[in-house]
mmCIF file of all heavy atoms in Angstrom:
data_model
loop_
_atom_site.group_PDB
_atom_site.id
_atom_site.type_symbol
_atom_site.label_atom_id
_atom_site.label_comp_id
_atom_site.label_asym_id
_atom_site.label_seq_id
_atom_site.Cartn_x
_atom_site.Cartn_y
_atom_site.Cartn_z
ATOM 1 N N GLU R 198 124.587 97.320 114.191
ATOM 2 C CA GLU R 198 125.927 97.109 113.907
ATOM 3 C C GLU R 198 126.114 96.896 112.304
ATOM 4 O O GLU R 198 126.980 97.575 111.631
ATOM 5 C CB GLU R 198 126.496 95.770 114.423
ATOM 6 C CG GLU R 198 127.831 95.494 114.207
ATOM 7 C CD GLU R 198 128.370 94.194 114.812
ATOM 8 O OE1 GLU R 198 127.439 93.320 115.331
ATOM 9 O OE2 GLU R 198 129.580 93.937 114.917
ATOM 10 N N SER R 199 125.183 96.294 111.706
ATOM 11 C CA SER R 199 125.179 96.079 110.288
ATOM 12 C C SER R 199 125.115 97.351 109.509
ATOM 13 O O SER R 199 125.718 97.762 108.718
ATOM 14 C CB SER R 199 124.000 95.160 109.837
ATOM 15 O OG SER R 199 123.862 95.047 108.470
ATOM 16 N N ALA R 200 124.067 98.123 110.047
ATOM 17 C CA ALA R 200 123.883 99.495 109.402
ATOM 18 C C ALA R 200 125.019 100.464 109.582
ATOM 19 O O ALA R 200 125.272 101.222 108.723
ATOM 20 C CB ALA R 200 122.543 100.062 110.023
ATOM 21 N N ALA R 201 125.615 100.428 110.826
ATOM 22 C CA ALA R 201 126.717 101.236 111.032
ATOM 23 C C ALA R 201 127.838 101.021 110.138
ATOM 24 O O ALA R 201 128.508 101.943 109.493
ATOM 25 C CB ALA R 201 127.240 101.110 112.551
ATOM 26 N N PHE R 202 128.102 99.729 109.826
ATOM 27 C CA PHE R 202 129.241 99.300 108.924
ATOM 28 C C PHE R 202 128.833 99.746 107.510
ATOM 29 O O PHE R 202 129.766 100.311 106.745
ATOM 30 C CB PHE R 202 129.431 97.839 108.978
ATOM 31 C CG PHE R 202 130.237 97.336 110.061
ATOM 32 C CD1 PHE R 202 129.674 96.071 110.735
ATOM 33 C CD2 PHE R 202 131.314 97.922 110.538
ATOM 34 C CE1 PHE R 202 130.504 95.664 111.859
ATOM 35 C CE2 PHE R 202 132.076 97.448 111.589
ATOM 36 C CZ PHE R 202 131.628 96.388 112.313
ATOM 37 N N ALA R 203 127.641 99.630 107.144
ATOM 38 C CA ALA R 203 127.270 100.123 105.734
ATOM 39 C C ALA R 203 127.339 101.567 105.567
ATOM 40 O O ALA R 203 127.797 102.090 104.559
ATOM 41 C CB ALA R 203 125.725 99.744 105.427
ATOM 42 N N ILE R 204 127.058 102.370 106.626
ATOM 43 C CA ILE R 204 127.256 103.828 106.625
ATOM 44 C C ILE R 204 128.603 104.205 106.515
ATOM 45 O O ILE R 204 129.081 105.063 105.847
ATOM 46 C CB ILE R 204 126.472 104.391 107.920
ATOM 47 C CG1 ILE R 204 124.987 104.310 107.673
ATOM 48 C CG2 ILE R 204 126.864 105.905 108.057
ATOM 49 C CD1 ILE R 204 124.180 104.713 108.959
ATOM 50 N N ALA R 205 129.412 103.520 107.275
ATOM 51 C CA ALA R 205 130.867 103.825 107.287
ATOM 52 C C ALA R 205 131.486 103.633 105.881
ATOM 53 O O ALA R 205 132.408 104.407 105.460
ATOM 54 C CB ALA R 205 131.638 102.919 108.253
ATOM 55 N N ARG R 206 130.996 102.561 105.175
ATOM 56 C CA ARG R 206 131.542 102.414 103.684
ATOM 57 C C ARG R 206 130.985 103.399 102.855
ATOM 58 O O ARG R 206 131.607 103.791 101.919
ATOM 59 C CB ARG R 206 130.988 101.061 103.286
ATOM 60 C CG ARG R 206 131.723 99.834 103.984
ATOM 61 C CD ARG R 206 131.483 98.463 103.283
ATOM 62 N NE ARG R 206 130.068 98.168 103.231
ATOM 63 C CZ ARG R 206 129.531 97.290 104.320
ATOM 64 N NH1 ARG R 206 130.175 96.991 105.252
ATOM 65 N NH2 ARG R 206 128.177 97.050 104.162
ATOM 66 N N LEU R 207 129.710 103.947 103.135
ATOM 67 C CA LEU R 207 129.108 104.969 102.310
ATOM 68 C C LEU R 207 129.721 106.322 102.478
ATOM 69 O O LEU R 207 130.078 107.104 101.514
ATOM 70 C CB LEU R 207 127.655 104.922 102.528
ATOM 71 C CG LEU R 207 126.790 105.999 101.749
ATOM 72 C CD1 LEU R 207 126.996 105.746 100.209
ATOM 73 C CD2 LEU R 207 125.375 105.981 102.186
ATOM 74 N N ASN R 208 129.956 106.637 103.718
ATOM 75 C CA ASN R 208 130.408 108.058 104.063
ATOM 76 C C ASN R 208 131.242 107.997 105.394
ATOM 77 O O ASN R 208 130.535 108.040 106.361
ATOM 78 C CB ASN R 208 129.236 108.961 104.074
ATOM 79 C CG ASN R 208 129.704 110.508 104.194
ATOM 80 O OD1 ASN R 208 130.793 110.726 104.440
ATOM 81 N ND2 ASN R 208 128.728 111.410 104.073
ATOM 82 N N PRO R 209 132.480 108.121 105.391
ATOM 83 C CA PRO R 209 133.277 107.996 106.572
ATOM 84 C C PRO R 209 133.046 109.307 107.508
ATOM 85 O O PRO R 209 133.567 109.339 108.608
ATOM 86 C CB PRO R 209 134.746 107.764 106.071
ATOM 87 C CG PRO R 209 134.639 108.330 104.767
ATOM 88 C CD PRO R 209 133.337 107.995 104.147
ATOM 89 N N HIS R 210 132.435 110.276 106.853
ATOM 90 C CA HIS R 210 132.368 111.653 107.676
ATOM 91 C C HIS R 210 131.274 111.573 108.579
ATOM 92 O O HIS R 210 131.016 112.441 109.394
ATOM 93 C CB HIS R 210 132.259 112.730 106.744
ATOM 94 C CG HIS R 210 133.417 112.957 105.770
ATOM 95 N ND1 HIS R 210 134.611 113.451 106.140
ATOM 96 C CD2 HIS R 210 133.514 112.653 104.447
ATOM 97 C CE1 HIS R 210 135.382 113.602 105.148
ATOM 98 N NE2 HIS R 210 134.838 112.995 104.039
ATOM 99 N N VAL R 211 130.489 110.548 108.592
ATOM 100 C CA VAL R 211 129.202 110.391 109.489
ATOM 101 C C VAL R 211 129.553 109.776 110.731
ATOM 102 O O VAL R 211 130.183 108.575 110.636
ATOM 103 C CB VAL R 211 128.093 109.606 108.743
ATOM 104 C CG1 VAL R 211 126.835 109.467 109.637
ATOM 105 C CG2 VAL R 211 127.674 110.346 107.501
ATOM 106 N N ASN R 212 129.277 110.283 111.748
ATOM 107 C CA ASN R 212 129.262 109.620 113.176
ATOM 108 C C ASN R 212 128.052 108.987 113.556
ATOM 109 O O ASN R 212 126.934 109.523 113.522
ATOM 110 C CB ASN R 212 129.646 110.770 114.200
ATOM 111 C CG ASN R 212 129.758 110.148 115.577
ATOM 112 O OD1 ASN R 212 130.248 109.039 115.712
ATOM 113 N ND2 ASN R 212 129.203 110.887 116.545
ATOM 114 N N VAL R 213 128.100 107.477 113.826
ATOM 115 C CA VAL R 213 126.994 106.638 114.076
ATOM 116 C C VAL R 213 126.968 106.360 115.621
ATOM 117 O O VAL R 213 128.067 106.075 116.140
ATOM 118 C CB VAL R 213 126.838 105.475 113.214
ATOM 119 C CG1 VAL R 213 125.861 104.521 113.613
ATOM 120 C CG2 VAL R 213 126.890 105.798 111.667
ATOM 121 N N ILE R 214 125.907 106.726 116.141
ATOM 122 C CA ILE R 214 125.586 106.203 117.595
ATOM 123 C C ILE R 214 124.604 105.104 117.653
ATOM 124 O O ILE R 214 123.520 105.355 117.142
ATOM 125 C CB ILE R 214 125.160 107.484 118.337
ATOM 126 C CG1 ILE R 214 126.222 108.569 118.300
ATOM 127 C CG2 ILE R 214 124.997 107.055 119.994
ATOM 128 C CD1 ILE R 214 125.693 109.962 119.095
ATOM 129 N N ARG R 215 124.974 104.019 118.178
ATOM 130 C CA ARG R 215 124.115 102.813 118.115
ATOM 131 C C ARG R 215 123.497 102.657 119.580
ATOM 132 O O ARG R 215 124.089 102.738 120.560
ATOM 133 C CB ARG R 215 124.918 101.614 117.847
ATOM 134 C CG ARG R 215 125.539 101.504 116.465
ATOM 135 C CD ARG R 215 126.604 100.542 116.381
ATOM 136 N NE ARG R 215 126.450 99.279 117.025
ATOM 137 C CZ ARG R 215 127.274 98.290 117.250
ATOM 138 N NH1 ARG R 215 128.530 98.468 116.904
ATOM 139 N NH2 ARG R 215 126.973 97.216 117.779
ATOM 140 N N PHE R 216 122.143 102.421 119.543
ATOM 141 C CA PHE R 216 121.322 102.130 120.749
ATOM 142 C C PHE R 216 120.634 100.857 120.441
ATOM 143 O O PHE R 216 119.728 100.680 119.876
ATOM 144 C CB PHE R 216 120.200 103.288 121.033
ATOM 145 C CG PHE R 216 120.826 104.624 121.148
ATOM 146 C CD1 PHE R 216 120.715 105.567 120.146
ATOM 147 C CD2 PHE R 216 121.537 104.932 122.270
ATOM 148 C CE1 PHE R 216 121.216 106.808 120.262
ATOM 149 C CE2 PHE R 216 122.076 106.338 122.401
ATOM 150 C CZ PHE R 216 121.845 107.151 121.368
ATOM 151 N N GLU R 217 121.280 99.670 121.134
ATOM 152 C CA GLU R 217 120.727 98.449 120.899
ATOM 153 C C GLU R 217 119.582 98.189 121.949
ATOM 154 O O GLU R 217 119.682 97.436 122.807
ATOM 155 C CB GLU R 217 121.959 97.396 121.095
ATOM 156 C CG GLU R 217 122.607 97.175 119.794
ATOM 157 C CD GLU R 217 123.943 97.615 119.872
ATOM 158 O OE1 GLU R 217 124.570 97.770 121.033
ATOM 159 O OE2 GLU R 217 124.621 98.095 118.850
ATOM 160 N N GLU R 218 118.539 98.811 121.667
ATOM 161 C CA GLU R 218 117.358 98.865 122.583
ATOM 162 C C GLU R 218 116.111 99.329 121.839
ATOM 163 O O GLU R 218 116.254 100.064 120.855
ATOM 164 C CB GLU R 218 117.574 99.592 123.850
ATOM 165 C CG GLU R 218 117.878 101.169 123.441
ATOM 166 C CD GLU R 218 118.195 101.865 124.817
ATOM 167 O OE1 GLU R 218 117.415 101.712 125.812
ATOM 168 O OE2 GLU R 218 119.135 102.720 124.767
ATOM 169 N N ARG R 219 114.957 98.947 122.217
ATOM 170 C CA ARG R 219 113.738 99.420 121.576
ATOM 171 C C ARG R 219 113.456 100.838 122.129
ATOM 172 O O ARG R 219 113.762 101.105 123.202
ATOM 173 C CB ARG R 219 112.550 98.555 122.113
ATOM 174 C CG ARG R 219 112.643 97.021 121.558
ATOM 175 C CD ARG R 219 111.343 96.350 121.992
ATOM 176 N NE ARG R 219 110.194 96.754 121.133
ATOM 177 C CZ ARG R 219 109.852 96.276 119.982
ATOM 178 N NH1 ARG R 219 110.767 95.329 119.296
ATOM 179 N NH2 ARG R 219 108.881 96.700 119.254
ATOM 180 N N PHE R 220 112.953 101.637 121.237
ATOM 181 C CA PHE R 220 112.754 102.964 121.583
ATOM 182 C C PHE R 220 111.585 102.945 122.649
ATOM 183 O O PHE R 220 110.446 102.385 122.354
ATOM 184 C CB PHE R 220 112.254 103.910 120.343
ATOM 185 C CG PHE R 220 112.131 105.314 120.711
ATOM 186 C CD1 PHE R 220 113.308 106.183 120.772
ATOM 187 C CD2 PHE R 220 110.943 105.951 120.933
ATOM 188 C CE1 PHE R 220 113.253 107.507 120.963
ATOM 189 C CE2 PHE R 220 110.829 107.264 121.180
ATOM 190 C CZ PHE R 220 112.035 107.984 121.180
ATOM 191 N N SER R 221 111.703 103.683 123.778
ATOM 192 C CA SER R 221 110.713 103.616 124.782
ATOM 193 C C SER R 221 110.655 105.021 125.443
ATOM 194 O O SER R 221 111.671 105.811 125.178
ATOM 195 C CB SER R 221 111.009 102.488 125.833
ATOM 196 O OG SER R 221 112.262 102.802 126.460
ATOM 197 N N PRO R 222 109.751 105.226 126.393
ATOM 198 C CA PRO R 222 109.743 106.411 127.096
ATOM 199 C C PRO R 222 111.061 106.656 127.878
ATOM 200 O O PRO R 222 111.612 107.805 128.073
ATOM 201 C CB PRO R 222 108.553 106.523 128.063
ATOM 202 C CG PRO R 222 107.621 105.586 127.234
ATOM 203 C CD PRO R 222 108.403 104.507 126.582
ATOM 204 N N ASP R 223 111.616 105.492 128.508
ATOM 205 C CA ASP R 223 112.757 105.668 129.169
ATOM 206 C C ASP R 223 113.970 105.928 128.350
ATOM 207 O O ASP R 223 114.829 106.860 128.638
ATOM 208 C CB ASP R 223 113.008 104.247 129.946
ATOM 209 C CG ASP R 223 114.292 104.405 130.758
ATOM 210 O OD1 ASP R 223 114.446 105.192 131.602
ATOM 211 O OD2 ASP R 223 115.350 103.515 130.477
ATOM 212 N N SER R 224 114.105 105.258 127.233
ATOM 213 C CA SER R 224 115.315 105.632 126.323
ATOM 214 C C SER R 224 115.097 107.000 125.740
ATOM 215 O O SER R 224 116.162 107.682 125.482
ATOM 216 C CB SER R 224 115.281 104.518 125.213
ATOM 217 O OG SER R 224 114.195 104.624 124.313
ATOM 218 N N ALA R 225 113.964 107.474 125.469
ATOM 219 C CA ALA R 225 113.753 108.774 125.055
ATOM 220 C C ALA R 225 114.279 109.823 126.044
ATOM 221 O O ALA R 225 114.985 110.746 125.657
ATOM 222 C CB ALA R 225 112.303 109.054 124.738
ATOM 223 N N ARG R 226 114.025 109.616 127.244
ATOM 224 C CA ARG R 226 114.479 110.557 128.336
ATOM 225 C C ARG R 226 116.012 110.537 128.404
ATOM 226 O O ARG R 226 116.616 111.516 128.605
ATOM 227 C CB ARG R 226 113.852 110.123 129.720
ATOM 228 C CG ARG R 226 112.375 110.539 129.841
ATOM 229 C CD ARG R 226 111.968 110.388 131.316
ATOM 230 N NE ARG R 226 111.998 108.929 131.743
ATOM 231 C CZ ARG R 226 110.852 108.188 131.522
ATOM 232 N NH1 ARG R 226 109.696 108.632 131.026
ATOM 233 N NH2 ARG R 226 110.903 106.898 131.904
ATOM 234 N N ARG R 227 116.603 109.382 128.156
ATOM 235 C CA ARG R 227 118.061 109.258 128.320
ATOM 236 C C ARG R 227 118.792 109.798 127.026
ATOM 237 O O ARG R 227 119.872 110.254 127.243
ATOM 238 C CB ARG R 227 118.423 107.892 128.508
ATOM 239 C CG ARG R 227 118.002 107.280 129.941
ATOM 240 C CD ARG R 227 118.544 105.975 130.231
ATOM 241 N NE ARG R 227 117.743 104.867 129.603
ATOM 242 C CZ ARG R 227 118.101 104.026 128.570
ATOM 243 N NH1 ARG R 227 119.248 104.216 128.092
ATOM 244 N NH2 ARG R 227 117.278 103.116 128.062
ATOM 245 N N HIS R 228 118.261 109.694 125.896
ATOM 246 C CA HIS R 228 119.037 109.884 124.684
ATOM 247 C C HIS R 228 118.473 111.189 123.804
ATOM 248 O O HIS R 228 119.255 111.691 123.068
ATOM 249 C CB HIS R 228 119.048 108.720 123.776
ATOM 250 C CG HIS R 228 119.456 107.497 124.451
ATOM 251 N ND1 HIS R 228 120.606 107.492 125.293
ATOM 252 C CD2 HIS R 228 118.896 106.131 124.664
ATOM 253 C CE1 HIS R 228 120.829 106.300 125.753
ATOM 254 N NE2 HIS R 228 119.679 105.440 125.364
ATOM 255 N N LEU R 229 117.161 111.340 123.817
ATOM 256 C CA LEU R 229 116.664 112.333 122.779
ATOM 257 C C LEU R 229 117.207 113.780 122.936
ATOM 258 O O LEU R 229 117.252 114.450 121.968
ATOM 259 C CB LEU R 229 115.053 112.308 122.893
ATOM 260 C CG LEU R 229 114.312 112.841 121.574
ATOM 261 C CD1 LEU R 229 114.913 112.154 120.336
ATOM 262 C CD2 LEU R 229 112.870 112.563 121.779
ATOM 263 N N SER R 230 117.646 114.199 124.192
ATOM 264 C CA SER R 230 118.022 115.534 124.406
ATOM 265 C C SER R 230 119.292 115.825 123.495
ATOM 266 O O SER R 230 119.611 117.006 123.108
ATOM 267 C CB SER R 230 118.276 115.867 125.776
ATOM 268 O OG SER R 230 119.319 114.955 126.353
ATOM 269 N N GLY R 231 119.949 114.727 123.043
ATOM 270 C CA GLY R 231 121.169 114.892 122.239
ATOM 271 C C GLY R 231 120.972 114.936 120.798
ATOM 272 O O GLY R 231 121.959 115.021 119.966
ATOM 273 N N PHE R 232 119.623 115.113 120.355
ATOM 274 C CA PHE R 232 119.423 115.139 118.943
ATOM 275 C C PHE R 232 118.571 116.290 118.564
ATOM 276 O O PHE R 232 117.755 116.717 119.397
ATOM 277 C CB PHE R 232 118.805 113.785 118.590
ATOM 278 C CG PHE R 232 119.745 112.638 118.582
ATOM 279 C CD1 PHE R 232 119.707 111.833 119.832
ATOM 280 C CD2 PHE R 232 120.538 112.227 117.645
ATOM 281 C CE1 PHE R 232 120.586 110.763 119.906
ATOM 282 C CE2 PHE R 232 121.435 111.231 117.719
ATOM 283 C CZ PHE R 232 121.452 110.430 118.913
ATOM 284 N N ASP R 233 118.692 116.653 117.309
ATOM 285 C CA ASP R 233 117.928 117.908 116.762
ATOM 286 C C ASP R 233 116.531 117.346 116.019
ATOM 287 O O ASP R 233 115.685 118.216 115.870
ATOM 288 C CB ASP R 233 118.782 118.612 115.680
ATOM 289 C CG ASP R 233 120.105 118.949 116.102
ATOM 290 O OD1 ASP R 233 120.162 119.630 117.235
ATOM 291 O OD2 ASP R 233 121.089 118.601 115.515
ATOM 292 N N LEU R 234 116.439 116.075 115.635
ATOM 293 C CA LEU R 234 115.280 115.648 114.832
ATOM 294 C C LEU R 234 115.214 114.131 115.051
ATOM 295 O O LEU R 234 116.188 113.405 115.266
ATOM 296 C CB LEU R 234 115.683 115.825 113.449
ATOM 297 C CG LEU R 234 114.847 115.322 112.321
ATOM 298 C CD1 LEU R 234 113.357 115.944 112.336
ATOM 299 C CD2 LEU R 234 115.419 115.452 110.915
ATOM 300 N N LEU R 235 113.931 113.670 115.147
ATOM 301 C CA LEU R 235 113.594 112.240 115.327
ATOM 302 C C LEU R 235 112.895 111.737 114.085
ATOM 303 O O LEU R 235 112.022 112.501 113.570
ATOM 304 C CB LEU R 235 112.716 112.115 116.489
ATOM 305 C CG LEU R 235 112.291 110.670 116.960
ATOM 306 C CD1 LEU R 235 113.559 109.804 117.271
ATOM 307 C CD2 LEU R 235 111.314 110.681 118.162
ATOM 308 N N ILE R 236 113.276 110.630 113.681
ATOM 309 C CA ILE R 236 112.559 109.947 112.447
ATOM 310 C C ILE R 236 112.138 108.515 112.948
ATOM 311 O O ILE R 236 112.941 107.763 113.439
ATOM 312 C CB ILE R 236 113.591 109.760 111.267
ATOM 313 C CG1 ILE R 236 114.080 111.184 110.780
ATOM 314 C CG2 ILE R 236 112.816 109.139 110.172
ATOM 315 C CD1 ILE R 236 115.060 111.132 109.633
#
């Protein structure tokens, strides 16, 4: 939430998707297909 607010102040053209969970094999299966790059 804190990071999303900071990003909105910096650049309102960026869409932020928040996942309030630890990255895990399960979350990767649910979410990673919607992204082009992982950091």
Side-chain angles (χ1 to χ4, degrees):
E198 181 180 17
S199 172
F202 283 135
I204 290 171
R206 290 192 296 270
L207 177 62
N208 190 347
H210 298 284
V211 177
N212 176 40
V213 175
I214 304 174
R215 294 161 44 190
F216 301 107
E217 274 108 30
E218 58 186 316
R219 296 183 71 86
F220 188 83
S221 66
D223 178 61
S224 66
R226 284 190 294 270
R227 287 185 283 113
H228 306 309
L229 200 53
S230 62
F232 293 91
D233 310 304
L234 172 65
L235 180 63
I236 301 180

